[in-house]
Amino acid sequence: MRRILISLGVFGLVLALLIGGGLWFLTERYAGNIDRISDVFGDLDEDARPAPATPAQEAGEDPVTFLLVGSDTRGETLEGEDPDGRSDAIMIARFSADRRHAQLISIPRDSWVDIPGHGMNKINASYAFGGPSLLIATVEQLTDVRIDHYVAIDFDGIIQVTDDLGGVDVVVAETTRNGPYTFPAGVNHLNGEQARWYLAQRYGLQGGDFDRVKRQQQYLRSMFGKLFSSDTFTNPGRLDSALLAVTSAVSIDDSLGNGDLLSLAYSMRNVTPDNVDFFTAPVEGTGREGAASVVYLDRVECDRMWTYLQTDSLSQNADEFEKQQLPEVPR
């Protein structure tokens, strides 16, 4: 009996070391591959910030809200710095408290908004005026939704994931052409270079930049659908390459440590691409402010959407924003 107990103890110790070592390896290989952006929230006036979201229904976790900023920069970025201010995409990403739903809301980059301390301007000008901190303050003032974390996405790097996954399928509503590539109506299997031109197109699309936003959302939906497909998970080499490409293409504020990130990812294990709702902030129309072409947000509809975010109930009320949802087949 003594020998058995000693053997069981040794086995338990070895098992614990293996599990702990495996978690350490995963944390360092993937979470450790993500660059951190220093002191993103340091310049914000804490007293002026919105209160955390209060779920309408009690849940075991707190909702988590990210501000995602997409850039197509190809320049090298020093550690602790954000990619340059060419923001092609501004998105609010909410992971619901039930850890079974997520929402992603694109705010058009030309939205005419009040930038704290700078007056009315396009929302993406806030980055040029004050970096990530001012962009966060601008979004929080616009939505009254508290931003918990900030993520900068290098879309040029994300496109690399396309090749690592062996290509990504997107469905095109009508034949379009951009650069050297034609995208015929129907299913298109894109490699990385084709995806770059597909995502960059706005001229020749009826909705211009609005259709470009929908293509960005569609690509993210298709890419993550492929990433979490059985074809990828049964190919460890492909999965590893794709995860390394994804993590190297994003930078996160330094308040989210590797362990926290791994814990959050584990808590979201029940979220599938089918449980992610994609929206564009409600728009009233377009116009001009001086020489600039701008987008006017629909304040009434936006306030209703922001209120649902504040109560973490947007997924339950998604049908109210059918016109703002990503269609199955964008142009």
Side-chain angles (χ1 to χ4, degrees), residues 21-311:
L23 289 175
W24 177 86
F25 174 79
L26 290 176
T27 301
E28 290 302 309
R29 185 161 181 80
Y30 301 124
N33 196 42
I34 298 173
D35 286 337
R36 293 308 197 273
I37 307 170
S38 302
D39 205 25
V40 168
F41 296 94
D43 293 335
L44 298 182
D45 180 1
E46 192 63 30
D47 293 334
R49 301 187 66 197
T54 304
Q57 298 179 348
E58 290 188 9
E61 304 281 354
D62 293 325
V64 181
T65 308
F66 285 79
L67 181 63
L68 311 182
V69 178
S71 170
D72 66 354
T73 178
R74 300 178 189 179
E76 292 295 325
T77 304
L78 297 177
E79 184 176 354
E81 293 183 352
D82 193 10
D84 66 36
R86 292 178 292 163
S87 300
D88 286 323
I90 299 173
M91 307 175 184
I92 297 174
R94 160 63 59 79
F95 297 130
S96 298
D98 64 9
R99 293 299 189 267
R100 294 181 178 275
H101 300 87
Q103 303 87 44
L104 190 146
I105 305 167
S106 292
I107 302 176
R109 60 183 180 177
D110 292 337
S111 298
W112 190 246
V113 302
D114 182 27
I115 299 176
H118 296 271
M120 300 297 293
N121 210 318
K122 293 183 180 184
I123 191 168
N124 66 348
S126 60
Y127 187 99
F129 294 148
S133 296
L134 185 57
L135 179 57
I136 292 170
T138 301
V139 171
E140 288 189 339
Q141 178 176 272
L142 173 69
T143 64
D144 202 28
V145 173
R146 187 180 182 92
I147 301 299
D148 298 309
H149 297 289
Y150 177 87
V151 178
I153 305 174
D154 178 4
F155 269 103
D156 193 54
I158 285 290
I159 286 170
Q160 175 62 41
V161 182
T162 306
D163 289 328
D164 291 327
L165 290 173
V168 170
D169 292 339
V170 296
V171 183
V172 179
E174 54 190 51
T175 299
T176 64
R177 180 175 298 144
N178 193 31
Y181 297 107
T182 297
F183 306 105
V187 178
N188 286 247
H189 186 74
L190 305 180
N191 61 30
E193 184 63 19
Q194 292 169 325
R196 184 191 312 283
W197 288 92
Y198 179 74
L199 291 171
Q201 183 174 4
R202 55 175 173 163
Y203 298 110
L205 299 178
Q206 183 178 343
D209 216 35
F210 296 115
D211 285 338
R212 187 186 185 201
V213 166
K214 290 182 174 65
R215 284 191 172 189
Q216 291 171 347
Q217 294 182 349
Q218 177 204 36
Y219 173 80
L220 290 175
R221 182 176 64 186
S222 299
M223 184 195 73
F224 281 106
K226 182 69 176 288
L227 179 62
F228 292 108
S229 69
S230 58
D231 290 343
T232 303
F233 269 83
T234 56
N235 187 329
R238 174 181 290 180
L239 178 62
D240 181 62
S241 296
L243 288 175
L244 287 174
V246 169
T247 51
S248 67
V250 300
S251 302
I252 299 179
D253 69 272
D254 59 1
S255 68
L256 192 63
N258 289 350
D260 297 328
L261 188 59
L262 189 64
S263 177
L264 177 62
Y266 181 75
S267 75
M268 298 296 296
R269 63 192 180 278
N270 293 318
V271 176
T272 67
D274 292 336
N275 294 335
V276 181
D277 295 315
F278 292 85
F279 304 90
T280 299
V283 170
E284 191 173 71
T286 60
R288 302 197 72 83
E289 294 289 341
S293 176
V294 302
V295 172
Y296 299 112
L297 298 176
D298 186 327
R299 293 188 178 182
V300 174
E301 288 293 294
C302 279
D303 284 347
R304 190 150 54 93
M305 181 177 282
W306 310 145
T307 298
Y308 287 139
L309 276 182
Q310 292 157 14
T311 57

